[in-house]
Amino acid sequence: MKLLHHIRLIVLLAALCGCGLTGSGQTIIPTPQEYSVGKDFFHINDNTSLYTNLKGSEKSNLEEYLSSLPSPFNQGVQNYKKQQSNSIVFALSPSRFHESQEGYTLFVNTQQIIITASTSDGLFYGLQSLLQLMRPHPKKGFQVVCCAINDKPRFDYRGIMLNVSRHFRSVDFIKKQIDVLARYKINRLHLHLTDAAGWRLEIKKYPRLTEFAAWRPVAKWKEWWFAKDGRQYCEEGTEGAYGGYYTQNEIRDLVKYAASRHITIIPEIEMPGHSEEVLAAYPELACNGNSRPGGEFCIGNEATFTFLEEVLTEVMELFPSEYIHIGGDEANRKVWESCPRCQTRMKASGLKESSQLQSYLIHRIEKFLNQHGRKLLGWDEIIEGGLAPNATVMSWRGEEGGIKAVRAGQQTVMTPGSHCYFDAYQDAPYTQPEAIGGYLPLSKVYAYDPVPQGLTAEESKLIYGVQANLWAEYIPSDEQYEYMMYPRVMALAEVGWTLPEHKSYKDFHAKALKEVEWLQSQGYHPFPLKNETGHRPESLKPAEHLAIGKKVTYNAPYHPSYPAQGESALTDGARGDWTYSDGNWQGFISRQRLDVTIDLDSITELHSIEADFIQVVGPEVFLPCEVIISVSNDGKQFTELLHIRRQAERNPAVDFKKYGWQGKTQARYVRYQARAGKTYGGWIFTDEVIIN
Ligand SMILES: [Zn+2]
C-alpha cells in the first residue's frame, strides 16, 4: 500500500478543511487528537470487503472480534491485496508516523476506509473510531463521513476496576462490559477478586476458598456486614447461599475475550488486610490462629507466605498481565502488635513499627512476583514503611501517594476517591438508588487531570495513567452496576485518552447524551443523563443573610479534617453540595456536637435562625438528635427559642434537613447547638447558620 501517499492525502484533507479538533460534528468518545471532516460519505454495505496485512494470532484476534460485529464486518477479513474500491483496510505499518503503540490514523474517502497503525492495538482503536462514526444509511447499510483522524492516547494505562467480591457478577456480564470498555479505548480491567465479602477465583490448591469463602448466607451486603451475630460464610450449595466464583476455565476464556478487545485483565488478590474470608476458611493463617480474627494475615507465620505464593502461582498461570495487584490497603496493623509470632518477626528483622511489618510482606511478595517476571501493583498504603523497589502505586487516598511515588522515581496510576470512585452518587441523592455517599457527577469525572500541578516534566512521565473504581457494597444487580458505570466511564476514557487542550465538557456532554441512547439501544442500563438534576441548588450561589461575616465562637471545635473555610465557614454564605466532603460542609465529632455562638455586633431584630444538616449513614454522619437555638443580649444569659429532640434513624442513607426557629425577637448573640444521638456514630455536618 502506498502509505505515504495516504498520509499526504490526510495532511491535504486536513489542510483543505482546516476544521477544528473538537468542534461541532465531532462524534467520537474519547475525542481524537486531530480530526478533519469532509463533506462526502463512504457507504458500507454487504459488498464492502475487509483487508489486512496482520498475520497469525493478531489476525485471528481481529477476526474473532469482527465476528461479533454486524455485516459486513463479520464476513471475514482477507489478506491485503492492492487497493480496491469499496474496502476497509487494516494496515500494519511500522512507521515514524505512529510513535505511540496505540496510535492510529483513520482515513475515509468515498472509495475506501484505511486504518494504519504500527501495532494491532492501534488498528483496533482505529476500528473503534470508525464504528462510532458509522450512521445507518436511509436506504441500505451504513455511511461514514469522509474524514482524516490522527490519534493517540495521552496515557498508556486507562483502567476500570470492578468489585466482584462484594457482589459477584457473571462471566457474561463482565464480557458485556468489556465490549463497551473497548469502544471507549479503555485498556485495563482490574478485577477486585478477593475481599471479606467473598473470594471469587478457583484456586486448585486451596479449595475451601471457593467451597466456603465464596458464599455468605445474606445477600444484601449491608445486612451481612452489620449482622449482629458477626459476618458469616456458608458452604457452597447451602440453601440461600449467596455468592459465586470463576472457575479457572472461565478465567482463561475471559482473559482471551478481553485480549481480543485489547484489554488486559489485572487480578487483585488482597493482602495483608481485607482477607476475612480467607481466614474464615483457613484460620491458621491469622494471628494467634484465631477463628474469627478480623481480616489480617499473620505476617509472623511462614505458612502465610506459602499460602500467598501458592495462590499467586496459580494466578500468574491464569492471568498473563504484566501487573498483579496485591491490594495492600486498610490493614488493621494493631492485630500484629499483640501477636507473638508477628513480634518475633519484627525483632528478627529489626522492624520498629507495624507499618514496617506490612512493608516486609509487600517487599517479599514483590520479590516473588519479580522472580516470575511480573510487577507489583498496590493501593497507596504500600508506600508506608518503605515502598517496594519496583512497585507501581495506585493513588486512591487523594493524589499524595501518587506524588510521593513519582518523586521517588516510581510509576503511579491516579485513582483518587474524589474523582474516580464510581460508587458515589452521580446526581442528587434523593433522585438516586442508595449508594455509599459522596457526589461525583459526570462533569467532575471529566474535569479530572491525572497529572498534579507542581510535578517536573520527568516526574509527570511517571504518571502511568488513570483508573476509575466501581466498589459494589451498595450495587447488588447487573442493572445497577451499569447504571453506576455509564456514562461516567466515557468521561474517564476521555481523561485517559484526550489531551487537555482538546477537551470540552460542553461538546462531550452533547456526545454523551447520544451515547447514552446508543447504550440503551444495545441493552445497557446507563444513568439517563438527560434527566440529570445537577448540583445542590444552595451550593450554586452564596447565601445572603444577617450573619454574613460575623464572628463565630466555637464552644466545641470543628474537626481539623473537615474545616471547610475554618472559623468563617458558617457565616460566609458558601453552601455545601450533595456531599459532606466537598469543602463547604464543616464537620464536628468532638463530644459529638456542634456548638457555636455568633456575635451580630449589635442588638438586632430576628425572624429566623436555621441550619441544614446532612446524613450519610455509611461513614456515620447523622442528622442531629437534639437541636437547641438560644439568644442573648450580653453573651452570658441565653434564652432558649427552640429545643428539638428526635431519634436517630439509619434510613434514608443520605438525607438533608433544615432545623430552625421562626418568630420575632431581638438579640445580639445567637447560639446554635446540635448534638448527635448515642445509637449510631456521631459526626455532625452543617454548612451555614442562616440568620434573618
Ligand atoms: Zn501474627
Side-chain angles (χ1 to χ4, degrees):
M1 188 175 77
K2 296 174 184 169
L3 177 75
L4 280 173
H5 176 65
H6 289 297
I7 296 295
R8 273 187 220 110
L9 275 180
I10 290 165
V11 173
L12 183 65
L13 182 61
L16 279 174
C17 293
C19 295
L21 302 171
T22 60
S24 58
Q26 198 291 102
T27 57
I28 298 167
I29 293 175
T31 297
Q33 312 301 358
E34 293 176 23
Y35 180 84
S36 303
V37 66
K39 286 185 182 124
D40 291 328
F41 292 89
F42 177 91
H43 293 273
I44 298 177
N45 54 39
D46 286 349
N47 297 324
T48 305
S49 307
L50 278 68
Y51 297 96
T52 186
N53 60 353
L54 284 175
K55 292 188 174 71
S57 62
E58 289 194 320
K59 187 183 175 206
S60 53
N61 255 348
L62 177 65
E63 279 175 326
E64 187 190 325
Y65 177 68
L66 290 172
S67 70
S68 69
L69 301 179
S71 174
F73 294 98
N74 60 4
Q75 293 176 12
V77 53
Q78 304 171 42
N79 287 331
Y80 175 70
K81 285 192 265 191
K82 74 181 175 104
Q83 284 184 60
Q84 303 218 352
S85 62
N86 195 12
S87 63
I88 301 172
V89 178
F90 300 90
L92 195 62
S93 167
S95 85
R96 64 193 170 87
F97 294 105
H98 306 111
E99 73 270 30
S100 161
Q101 284 287 305
E102 296 174 299
Y104 68 92
T105 55
L106 169 64
F107 178 64
V108 181
N109 66 20
T110 55
Q111 301 297 308
Q112 259 192 325
I113 294 175
I114 300 165
I115 300 168
T116 57
S118 60
T119 67
S120 61
D121 295 326
L123 293 179
F124 183 79
Y125 292 135
L127 171 59
Q128 293 310 316
S129 292
L130 171 61
L131 293 172
Q132 288 196 33
L133 287 172
M134 283 164 49
R135 295 286 173 270
H137 184 264
K139 286 180 187 152
K140 208 179 173 197
F142 299 93
Q143 62 182 26
V144 183
V145 69
C146 291
C147 65
I149 293 174
N150 194 4
D151 200 8
K152 63 177 180 183
R154 181 182 181 200
F155 295 105
D156 290 339
Y157 187 112
R158 304 175 302 280
I160 298 290
M161 186 217 76
L162 295 185
N163 175 359
V164 292
S165 171
R166 267 48 175 268
H167 287 101
F168 180 66
R169 302 265 66 89
S170 71
V171 169
D172 285 346
F173 175 83
I174 306 280
K175 284 182 175 176
K176 185 182 171 197
Q177 309 321 309
I178 285 173
D179 287 345
V180 71
L181 295 180
R183 177 175 175 86
Y184 305 128
K185 304 183 175 88
I186 298 291
N187 64 2
R188 301 291 197 291
L189 174 62
H190 164 183
L191 292 181
H192 187 76
L193 290 166
T194 75
D195 211 309
W199 181 280
R200 304 300 177 210
L201 177 65
E202 180 188 20
I203 298 293
K204 303 273 189 200
K205 201 143 200 174
Y206 294 94
R208 295 295 292 157
L209 292 172
T210 44
E211 289 166 0
F212 181 67
W215 306 93
R216 59 185 199 238
V218 181
K220 217 176 171 189
W221 177 85
K222 193 160 73 170
E223 279 171 25
W224 175 79
W225 185 255
F226 293 107
K228 285 203 179 80
D229 54 347
R231 295 160 203 158
Q232 306 289 335
Y233 301 88
C234 60
E235 296 294 332
E236 182 176 14
T238 310
E239 198 185 337
Y242 177 86
Y245 60 90
Y246 306 111
T247 66
Q248 296 204 347
N249 279 339
E250 283 174 331
I251 288 293
R252 284 188 196 97
D253 173 52
L254 192 61
V255 164
K256 186 166 175 274
Y257 188 90
S260 75
R261 285 146 183 84
H262 297 259
I263 290 176
T264 302
I265 298 185
I266 296 176
E268 179 181 356
I269 305 295
E270 273 276 15
M271 63 189 81
H274 280 281
S275 298
E276 251 170 300
E277 85 291 18
V278 177
L279 304 177
Y282 296 97
E284 64 272 22
L285 301 177
C287 286
N288 305 315
N290 291 329
S291 60
R292 297 316 302 262
E296 284 70 30
F297 285 104
C298 178
I299 302 180
N301 185 355
E302 270 306 298
T304 291
F305 290 91
T306 306
F307 171 85
L308 291 173
E309 291 180 5
E310 287 179 342
V311 166
L312 288 173
T313 298
E314 291 191 36
V315 167
M316 287 187 287
E317 279 164 17
L318 293 168
F319 296 92
S321 61
E322 179 185 19
Y323 283 95
I324 305 291
H325 201 301
I326 54 76
D329 58 314
E330 298 184 315
N332 173 14
R333 295 165 189 162
K334 284 213 168 66
V335 297
W336 304 323
E337 287 164 12
S338 58
C339 168
R341 279 193 298 219
C342 284
Q343 290 304 305
T344 305
R345 170 85 76 199
M346 285 181 72
K347 278 199 198 83
S349 305
L351 309 176
K352 291 186 184 68
E353 292 164 16
S354 54
S355 65
Q356 292 174 311
L357 193 59
Q358 154 140 348
S359 174
Y360 168 89
L361 176 136
I362 302 291
H363 277 72
R364 239 179 105 167
I365 295 297
E366 173 175 58
K367 210 169 162 192
F368 177 76
L369 290 173
N370 289 169
Q371 279 165 355
H372 293 80
R374 305 304 179 92
K375 290 184 182 167
L376 182 144
L377 187 56
W379 303 111
D380 58 45
E381 285 93 331
I382 65 171
I383 296 172
E384 294 159 15
L387 181 54
N390 305 310
T392 293
V393 171
M394 266 192 184
S395 189
W396 72 282
R397 297 175 300 177
E399 294 182 320
E400 291 74 33
I403 292 169
K404 262 188 204 158
V406 299
R407 293 217 158 122
Q410 290 180 238
Q411 275 196 147
T412 195
V413 175
M414 285 297 187
T415 181
S418 56
H419 292 77
C420 296
Y421 271 41
F422 285 5
D423 51 341
Y425 287 100
Q426 61 196 314
D427 201 1
Y430 65 87
T431 66
Q432 298 298 300
E434 182 177 2
I436 201 160
Y439 175 51
L440 181 57
L442 187 66
S443 57
K444 190 172 180 187
V445 180
Y446 191 81
Y448 184 54
D449 186 343
V451 179
Q453 291 189 340
L455 293 188
T456 66
E458 281 308 301
E459 288 162 354
S460 300
K461 281 185 200 156
L462 292 169
I463 304 291
Y464 191 22
V466 64
Q467 175 169 297
N469 303 318
L470 183 55
W471 299 104
E473 283 88 338
Y474 293 86
I475 310 181
S477 70
D478 285 355
E479 289 75 14
Q480 207 178 332
Y481 255 83
E482 292 179 356
Y483 183 92
M484 300 303 275
M485 282 173 79
Y486 312 113
R488 288 187 288 192
V489 163
M490 300 172 202
L492 192 278
E494 196 141 327
V495 167
W497 184 278
T498 306
L499 290 170
E501 57 266 39
H502 298 163
K503 283 172 67 188
S504 147
Y505 185 67
K506 189 167 162 272
D507 292 344
F508 170 78
H509 186 262
K511 289 189 287 185
L513 283 171
K514 288 192 178 137
E515 199 63 16
V516 163
E517 279 178 20
W518 181 84
L519 284 172
Q520 287 165 336
S521 75
Q522 302 298 308
Y524 291 84
H525 303 84
F527 164 67
L529 183 61
K530 66 178 166 43
N531 300 341
E532 186 179 24
T533 302
H535 296 280
R536 183 173 177 241
E538 289 87 344
S539 71
L540 296 176
K541 65 176 172 61
E544 288 176 24
H545 57 95
L546 287 179
I548 291 286
K550 302 300 184 196
K551 183 174 167 11
V552 179
T553 302
Y554 284 81
N555 307 313
Y558 57 82
H559 194 274
S561 298
Y562 299 98
Q565 296 80 12
E567 298 206 341
S568 65
L570 300 184
T571 52
D572 66 351
R575 306 296 306 278
D577 209 336
W578 296 122
T579 173
Y580 65 84
S581 60
D582 73 342
N584 283 322
W585 291 91
Q586 194 164 55
F588 301 83
I589 188 77
S590 171
R591 284 182 285 160
Q592 305 196 320
R593 64 177 181 152
L594 152 76
D595 185 355
V596 292
T597 304
I598 299 164
D599 180 358
L600 297 171
D601 295 335
S602 60
I603 294 176
T604 309
E605 186 170 304
L606 304 176
H607 294 275
S608 74
I609 300 164
E610 54 194 31
D612 282 5
F613 294 84
I614 181 171
Q615 169 155 314
V616 187
V617 169
E620 302 189 338
V621 176
F622 282 89
L623 295 173
C625 281
E626 187 176 13
V627 173
I628 304 170
I629 297 174
S630 48
V631 292
S632 164
N633 286 338
D634 60 5
K636 290 169 191 153
Q637 296 292 320
F638 279 83
T639 309
E640 249 181 46
L641 297 178
L642 177 90
H643 198 147
I644 298 172
R645 285 193 184 85
R646 59 179 284 281
Q647 289 291 317
E649 289 167 27
R650 282 195 167 277
N651 282 313
V654 177
D655 203 4
F656 295 80
K657 268 215 165 69
K658 190 185 299 300
Y659 292 94
W661 163 87
Q662 286 185 328
K664 191 176 172 188
T665 190
Q666 290 197 328
R668 172 172 169 176
Y669 297 94
V670 172
R671 187 171 179 190
Y672 199 115
Q673 294 165 270
R675 209 181 296 271
K678 291 200 170 117
T679 321
Y680 307 121
W683 282 97
I684 293 268
F685 276 82
T686 190
D687 59 345
E688 188 84 357
V689 177
I690 297 177
I691 301 176
N692 278 307

